[in-house]
Amino acid sequence: MFIQTLVTGLAIGGIYALMAVGYSLVFSVLNFSNFAYGSIIMLGAYAGYYILTQMGQPLFVAVLAAIIGSAILAYANEKIAYSSLRRRNASSLYFMISAMGTAIFLENLVYATIGSRFYAFPEVLTRQNLNVLGTSLGILDAFAIVFSSVAIYGLHWFLQNSKMGIAIRAASYDMQVSQINGVNINRLIGLVFLLAGALAGISGVFLGMKYMVYPTMGWITNKAYIAAVIGGLGSLPGAVVGGLLLGVLETFVSAYISSAIRDVFSFSLLVVLLLVMPSGLFGKYLEEKV
Amino acid sequence: MFEYFSGVLTFSLIYVIATVGLAVFTGFTGLFSLGHAAFVAIGAYTSGILTYFYQVNFWLALVAGGVMSGLVGVIIGYPTLKAKLRSDYFAIATLGFGEAVRVLLENLDITQGARGLPGIALETDLPTVLVVTIIVLWVARNFIHSRYGRAAIAVREDFTAAEMMGINLFTIRMRSLVFSAVTAGLAGGLFAHYVSFIQPSMFTGALSTQLTAGVVAGGMGSLTGPALAAIVFVAVPEALRVASMWRLVAYGFLLVAIMVFRPQGLFGHQEISWNTWRNLWKRVRSCGTKPC
Amino acid sequence: MKSKWIALAILAVFALTLVGCGGAKQEDVIKIGHAVALTGDSSMWGIAEKNALEMEIAKINAAGGVLGKKLQLIAYDTRADATEAVNVTKRLVSQDKVAAIIGPGQSGVAIAMSSVTEPGKVPMIGTTPTNPKVTVDDKTNQVRKYSFRTCFIDPFQGTVAAQFATKELKAKTAAVVYDVGSDYSSWLGKYFIEEFTKQGGTIANNEAFRSGELDFRAILGKVKQANPDVIFIPTMQKEAALVMKQARDLGITAKFLGGDGWGSPDLITLGGSAVEGSYFVNLASLDDPDIQKWIADYKAKYNQEPVLPNPVMAVDGLLAVVDAIKKANSADPVKIAEQLEKTKDLPVLTGKLTIDPKTHNPLNKPAVMQEVKGGKFVFKSKVVTQ
């Protein structure tokens, strides 16, 4: 029971981590909470579902389509909703409202056009299980853990070693100085959104396969936001640790205390942690940029 | 016919009360709340339980709802504001707070869980709401014109500079938060006695969103702007009876468009006064003589 | 001075509002209100309800209407949301001045709406609000004068499910997995537990989750350890499908059992092979010989199968209202309510409708036990109230 709970918790935490990374990536550069991230994930899931079931393409094409679709959408989101705020040097409050507006807009647009029905991916991988130490782990979970580790590690490598990655990291410390040093900030931020969007596409297909596809599925990112704050906004390792921590905590509370009041525990963890460590476990900034 | 109109107006004014409170908080301190529906819920449940189970006088229960909500505002505000959380962290903390309150409402015995409280006395009518709205607007106006209000504006514009001027960031933010919690609680109490039935699923993030949308659309830094926006947000969809999802599509679009094109909100920092209407009238009249 | 323009625009919108509300008055029609979820998670049923009512009203009007007047349906979307429904009902009662309201399908929504229909004195005939408190006041235990319904109530449904579990499935132990955020789910779970223990069974787990939950593996881990014979899942189709899928993934072999919230084809598309061989209580079945002609008409008109049971329940409600109007010889809502209470052996779609004046519930409403077999809902048995 204990080990099974732990395995389940890690599997759920992995989902949170995958989503928290994309969200934290945007934060690390632009320094604001991109609340539109959940709706980008949702549209990625719809794209993947459509390609797979309606057009009968193989899974990897569907994943690719979701990645490309979400990346383009995230890029467009930046150009439409954030870039003018960026040029105006607006405070992060304005960014957050714009992001929330985007989320409400996209989600309800799907409601109004596609409708509120639930869709499920065909059962390809979902029904097979691995036996790990006498516990059962869905093959999809194992796949997700491996895949998201590769994606997260790849991203990490990219940020550490590539020229663009170094520029991103520089910009995340000081955008103006890096611009003076010849970094094309617009292109760079566009790239960050493309990357975050690609991660959103992967998360979307994965969530869709694991659970189902529906307009408000992006709300699960609320958990990813909490995970990212626990880990420290803007820190990629923090997002991963925060996600796993939250997933395990929630699963243990559900299994040993009560599933119904689980969210009170998540919230209390968040508040207590913020009191002790105001910028999360691995947070970068304490103070807001002025 | 009149009944229906006064119903819609009553409902709009309930939103006005909550929105004006939030306008004092978000519009004047620059902190963003994703969980104000929880304060509305606390007010609604406190007053609802008092009149439903204990036959307390409606006005007394209403005030108790506001006070309770304010107290919770202190409890939640103290740690989060004391720690000087940056606005993103604060927003996510309020998001969690909103969910946590709903979990409690679903699980407590006194709130009767998901079945809610059916058959709360119908006490809220147009005169009642009008009285509360006027009081809240008056107090809010005095608040922002007081020393605290001006300090709050300074905090919103540049809190580092404000702090250097000797403004106590924590006190200012705390006072605005508690004020907004109290008004949200009052709105909740009025809501409970208008609909006569409350259940936890009425106080979701969508409600928080609508309140915030009202503040942003009306203009951060204005009181009458958000108040008018709140009325428009209730009355227009009601009149057109558009499906709610299109209303929400419009909210979303409006939020982005306002941030991009008119970040000060539709009314900016200005208040709507008699002058506004007079100028408007002049403009309309002059339409005949010159191009408009 | 942009703000002035905006103020002007708002004024214009207000003017529009007034015009929009001024609706034309017609004396030669009888207006029937319909409070229904046309958007949101329950919209599948809601849209079918509206289609069915439109079809039936067209039929009645073609045959000369009622009392020489045509019927007119005024349907508003409640989004299955209580607050929205109260506004909608206010509009139906005090502005449209409808003779009666058909709907809603959700108990919480119906209870909220009764705060308008009771003082407004307009009868409301719920389609599928199965909670007992819909027609009976919670505090006074008196019947609500203007609240009716055409469906059975949850205690009956819970009893049918529990007796099916003990008698047909020979279950000794059961687990219940319910949604604490839904009044429907938590009450139905409670009624099941009452009857199941009365029949000598043991409840191994009684697990709650919150609405919107996607991952049930933490609580299913506990269920797996207890290893019950059946798992009762009194939720809507989405949660039920996910619970069953994840339970099978964890290697749980128990039989699944549910209530009328399952009755959507979505259950099968979402749950896939995991829902195969599970049973649930429903209000109506596509296999029911009594409604074959109606189903054929519906299919011919809308080119799809109706999503049961809501459309059938709505038509039953409409037929009861029409009958009451004829008997009262008036479209006055108060008189309609008086006659509705006296409805006895009225032929409706699902058989004969008799309303119990003490509770405003239909008497002898049968429940249908359905099995998920070969990707379809298959009729299993019909249970009638004693």
Side-chain angles (χ1 to χ4, degrees), chain A:
Chain A
M1 175 87 177
F2 179 83
I3 296 177
Q4 176 71 66
T5 309
L6 186 69
V7 169
T8 306
L10 286 173
I12 295 172
I15 303 170
Y16 293 162
L18 187 60
M19 292 187 293
V21 166
Y23 162 72
S24 231
L25 181 67
V26 170
F27 188 94
S28 71
V29 178
L30 277 173
N31 235 333
F32 81 96
S33 282
N34 183 14
F35 291 123
Y37 197 63
S39 49
I40 308 267
I41 290 180
M42 179 265 294
L43 284 163
Y46 270 94
Y49 173 79
Y50 184 79
I51 300 289
L52 192 69
T53 58
Q54 303 296 308
M55 297 176 64
Q57 299 296 321
L59 182 63
F60 106 95
V61 178
V63 175
L64 207 65
I67 289 176
I68 294 170
S70 289
I72 292 171
L73 198 68
Y75 185 81
N77 177 18
E78 200 278 327
K79 284 285 164 249
I80 294 166
Y82 309 138
S83 66
S84 71
L85 299 181
R86 205 151 41 72
R87 277 196 297 276
R88 250 198 343 254
N89 227 342
S91 83
S92 71
L93 174 71
Y94 294 83
F95 281 93
M96 276 195 280
I97 292 170
S98 203
M100 208 175 90
T102 310
I104 299 168
F105 177 76
L106 290 177
E107 197 178 289
N108 288 287
L109 197 64
V110 172
Y111 252 127
T113 52
I114 302 176
S116 60
R117 283 194 64 170
F118 308 107
Y119 300 95
F121 276 72
E123 301 178 330
V124 193
L125 291 165
T126 41
R127 302 305 308 281
Q128 287 150 35
N129 290 294
L130 292 176
N131 247 324
V132 189
L133 301 166
T135 67
S136 87
L137 177 68
I139 198 153
L140 191 65
D141 293 317
F143 181 72
I145 290 170
V146 172
F147 195 77
S148 48
S149 316
V150 170
I152 292 165
Y153 184 78
L155 189 66
H156 186 70
W157 184 88
F158 174 79
L159 290 177
Q160 291 299 321
N161 299 312
S162 75
K163 203 174 157 200
M164 245 0 224
I166 293 166
I168 290 175
R169 284 194 295 136
S172 78
Y173 280 98
D174 195 324
M175 214 182 283
Q176 271 166 352
V177 171
S178 48
Q179 193 159 19
I180 291 165
N181 282 306
V183 175
N184 182 341
I185 288 292
N186 275 324
R187 222 175 75 198
L188 183 111
I189 287 174
L191 181 76
V192 167
F193 274 87
L194 283 175
L195 280 175
L199 274 174
I202 297 171
S203 314
V205 173
F206 175 65
L207 279 176
M209 281 168 70
K210 183 83 206 149
Y211 307 115
M212 49 185 69
V213 182
Y214 59 101
T216 49
M217 64 184 284
W219 285 13
I220 195 176
T221 43
N222 281 356
K223 289 292 168 58
Y225 301 153
I226 292 179
V229 170
I230 291 172
L233 273 175
S235 153
L236 298 191
V240 175
V241 172
L244 293 176
L245 202 66
L246 187 65
V248 170
L249 174 92
E250 280 194 357
T251 312
F252 272 94
V253 171
S254 291
Y256 291 98
I257 303 170
S258 159
S259 180
I261 58 163
R262 186 194 67 195
D263 289 359
V264 175
F265 282 83
S266 321
F267 171 65
S268 309
L269 171 75
L270 176 75
V271 169
V272 169
L273 194 103
L274 285 179
L275 287 181
V276 187
M277 302 168 119
S279 49
L281 293 173
F282 302 89
K284 281 195 314 181
Y285 295 108
L286 178 59
E287 290 295 325
E288 206 149 349
K289 273 187 188 172
V290 181

Side-chain angles (χ1 to χ4, degrees), chain C residues 6 14 26-27 42 71 86 98-99 104 128-129 140 156 167 207 212 221-222 224 250 274 297 321 326 354:
Chain C
I6 291 147
F14 267 120
Q26 281 176 298
E27 298 297 335
S42 314
L71 292 183
V86 165
V98 295
T128 57
T140 60
F156 171 62
K167 291 182 179 146
E207 299 293 340
K222 275 196 278 186
K224 191 187 176 187
L250 282 176
D297 287 349
V321 169
K326 281 182 187 157
T354 302

Side-chain angles (χ1 to χ4, degrees), chain B residues 51-150:
Chain B
T51 59
Y52 186 75
F53 289 117
Y54 304 104
Q55 285 79 43
V56 175
N57 173 281
F58 164 67
W59 287 97
L60 216 63
L62 189 64
V63 172
V67 170
M68 187 68 170
S69 188
L71 279 178
V72 175
V74 173
I75 295 169
I76 187 71
Y78 190 82
T80 48
L81 295 175
K82 194 83 190 167
K84 275 200 218 162
L85 294 182
R86 46 163 298 139
S87 52
D88 299 78
Y89 287 76
F90 182 81
I92 288 162
T94 53
L95 180 91
F97 164 68
E99 280 303 295
V101 166
R102 226 147 53 80
V103 172
L104 290 179
L105 295 178
E106 280 166 6
N107 287 285
L108 289 177
D109 283 335
I110 187 85
T111 58
Q112 302 197 1
R115 59 190 279 224
L117 302 175
I120 298 171
L122 286 163
E123 297 276 4
T124 305
D125 49 14
L126 192 53
T128 320
V129 184
L130 217 53
V131 168
V132 180
T133 313
I134 290 167
I135 295 174
V136 165
L137 272 171
W138 182 74
V139 174
R141 200 194 79 99
N142 285 349
F143 181 82
I144 56 169
H145 286 297
S146 72
R147 204 159 58 83
Y148 295 111
R150 289 196 300 274

Side-chain angles (χ1 to χ4, degrees), chain B residues 70-271:
Chain B
L71 279 178
V72 175
V74 173
I75 295 169
I76 187 71
Y78 190 82
T80 48
L81 295 175
K82 194 83 190 167
K84 275 200 218 162
L85 294 182
R86 46 163 298 139
S87 52
D88 299 78
Y89 287 76
F90 182 81
I92 288 162
T94 53
L95 180 91
F97 164 68
E99 280 303 295
V101 166
R102 226 147 53 80
V103 172
L104 290 179
L105 295 178
E106 280 166 6
N107 287 285
L108 289 177
D109 283 335
I110 187 85
T111 58
Q112 302 197 1
R115 59 190 279 224
L117 302 175
I120 298 171
L122 286 163
E123 297 276 4
T124 305
D125 49 14
L126 192 53
T128 320
V129 184
L130 217 53
V131 168
V132 180
T133 313
I134 290 167
I135 295 174
V136 165
L137 272 171
W138 182 74
V139 174
R141 200 194 79 99
N142 285 349
F143 181 82
I144 56 169
H145 286 297
S146 72
R147 204 159 58 83
Y148 295 111
R150 289 196 300 274
I153 296 169
V155 166
R156 181 194 62 203
E157 293 303 321
D158 188 334
F159 62 83
T160 318
E163 233 179 342
M164 283 173 180
M165 297 292 288
I167 291 171
N168 187 334
L169 207 60
F170 172 71
T171 326
I172 294 302
R173 286 180 164 175
M174 193 68 179
R175 272 170 209 259
S176 334
L177 175 65
V178 171
F179 178 76
S180 70
V182 171
T183 55
L186 289 175
L190 291 166
F191 173 82
H193 293 83
Y194 170 78
V195 179
S196 120
F197 171 58
I198 45 174
Q199 61 183 159
S201 59
M202 291 174 172
F203 308 98
T204 55
L207 178 62
S208 303
T209 303
Q210 186 174 352
L211 296 178
T212 306
V215 174
V216 175
M220 283 188 281
S222 163
L223 284 180
T224 38
L228 193 59
I231 295 180
V232 171
F233 278 4
V234 176
V236 172
E238 186 59 43
L240 307 176
R241 268 266 136 245
V242 289
S244 62
M245 55 205 175
W246 283 109
R247 162 184 357 179
L248 287 165
V249 172
Y251 281 171
F253 180 78
L254 202 65
L255 286 185
V256 178
I258 287 173
M259 286 301 102
V260 171
F261 296 111
R262 209 181 148 78
Q264 67 272 46
L266 294 183
F267 292 95
H269 303 324
Q270 306 173 33
E271 297 296 346

